[in-house]
Amino acid sequence: MPRIVSPSILSADFGHLADEIALLDRSEAQWIHFDVMDGVFVPNISFGFPLLRQVRALTRKKLDVHLMIVDPDRYIDRFAECGADVLTVQAEACVHLHRTLQAIHRAGMRAGVALNPHTPLCAIEEVLEDTDMVLLMTVNPGYGGQQFIEHSYSKIERLRAMIDSRNLPTLIQMDGGVTLENAGALYASGVDVLVAGNTVFSSADPACTIRRLLTAERP
Ligand code: DX5
Ligand code: ZN
């Protein structure tokens, strides 16, 4: 499976957002990660529809939207209208997760399910066939720049085994605390898509950092 890097614009400079998006658009990153936070599911509020529409107009990269909000079903069609390509919901926020995944597909997007660090893999076991991507949170959601939870490796490996044993094309995305030091090991443990906020945007040369993430070797 080819590696994908999805820089998280939560860590971008919003005073110069068009420049930041132009930089990502020219980079080798295939996706752009867009973190929506409602101040209820997570203790932080980020951004929503108007900004997504602006970003959509500025890039042809795939927009990878991660909803950290309660009751995401209410907004699925609006995220599609604003240009999301992949829409990921938190399993913990969905009472009828299977129905939510169907609604995302009906709206023409790829459907992802995110699991918080404490949520066991069995939360997605029965919907794996209907899920295009499983996002493993490797920090507690809400903020960029947090430290990777080290024992996440075993969870990644067990999810990889579950997906491979069923011969599914489901992608594994990993979000939180990705660095140039751990990227190679994370791909080697079975991750397909790495989200990186702080590592990309706090670096002197974000495009070069994206390339280094894509080509990182196992240490
Ligand atoms: C955290 C968000 C992440 C965040 C990652 O709740 O879901 O996408 O932007 O940031 P870094 O890469 O800085 O840990
Ligand atoms: Zn995210």
Side-chain angles (χ1 to χ4, degrees):
M1 203 83 78
R3 295 172 168 195
I4 294 173
V5 165
S6 189
S8 168
I9 60 162
L10 189 65
S11 297
D13 175 356
F14 282 84
H16 301 94
L17 190 63
D19 296 338
E20 300 276 62
I21 300 299
L23 186 154
L24 295 181
D25 201 52
R26 287 192 305 268
S27 79
E28 290 170 59
Q30 299 94 330
W31 295 5
I32 296 177
H33 190 78
F34 191 92
D35 285 309
V36 180
M37 302 180 183
D38 65 354
V40 179
F41 184 76
V42 285
N44 195 11
I45 298 177
S46 59
F47 36 68
F49 304 118
L51 195 81
L52 183 61
R53 223 178 262 118
Q54 295 271 344
V55 173
R56 177 72 291 165
L58 292 169
T59 181
R60 278 179 296 178
K61 302 277 180 186
K62 294 238 177 297
L63 295 185
D64 163 36
V65 178
H66 176 195
L67 301 184
M68 285 159 276
I69 64 174
V70 296
D71 206 1
D73 301 69
R74 294 171 64 191
Y75 304 106
I76 290 170
D77 290 334
R78 287 186 68 190
F79 279 106
E81 282 157 28
C82 289
D85 296 291
V86 184
L87 194 68
T88 297
V89 294
Q90 291 279 155
E92 305 83 2
C94 297
V95 179
H96 300 287
L97 181 56
H98 183 261
R99 180 180 290 155
T100 304
L101 295 171
Q102 286 181 315
I104 295 172
H105 283 144
R106 253 200 321 273
M109 298 173 287
R110 290 165 92 182
V113 180
L115 302 181
N116 276 338
H118 77 278
T119 304
L121 292 175
C122 63
I124 43 96
E125 216 174 318
E126 306 303 329
V127 292
L128 205 51
E129 275 77 5
D130 306 288
T131 306
D132 300 300
M133 181 173 83
V134 178
L135 185 169
L136 295 182
M137 285 307 302
T138 45
V139 297
N140 286 296
Y143 303 95
Q146 301 184 81
Q147 204 174 350
F148 176 77
I149 299 171
E150 278 300 326
H151 58 251
S152 308
Y153 283 105
S154 137
K155 195 174 185 183
I156 297 166
E157 284 160 11
R158 282 178 284 126
L159 176 59
R160 179 82 272 157
M162 193 194 288
I163 290 170
D164 291 351
S165 71
R166 299 193 204 175
N167 249 321
L168 294 171
T170 316
L171 297 173
I172 300 179
Q173 182 175 54
M174 216 221 75
D175 187 7
V178 170
T179 64
L180 288 171
E181 287 69 41
N182 63 19
L186 290 166
Y187 282 125
S189 67
V191 172
D192 303 293
V193 188
L194 281 184
V195 174
N198 192 54
T199 292
V200 167
F201 288 101
S202 70
S203 74
D205 186 345
C208 171
T209 302
I210 289 165
R211 172 171 301 173
R212 288 175 66 196
L213 287 170
L214 279 167
T215 55
E217 306 262 350
R218 187 187 202 144

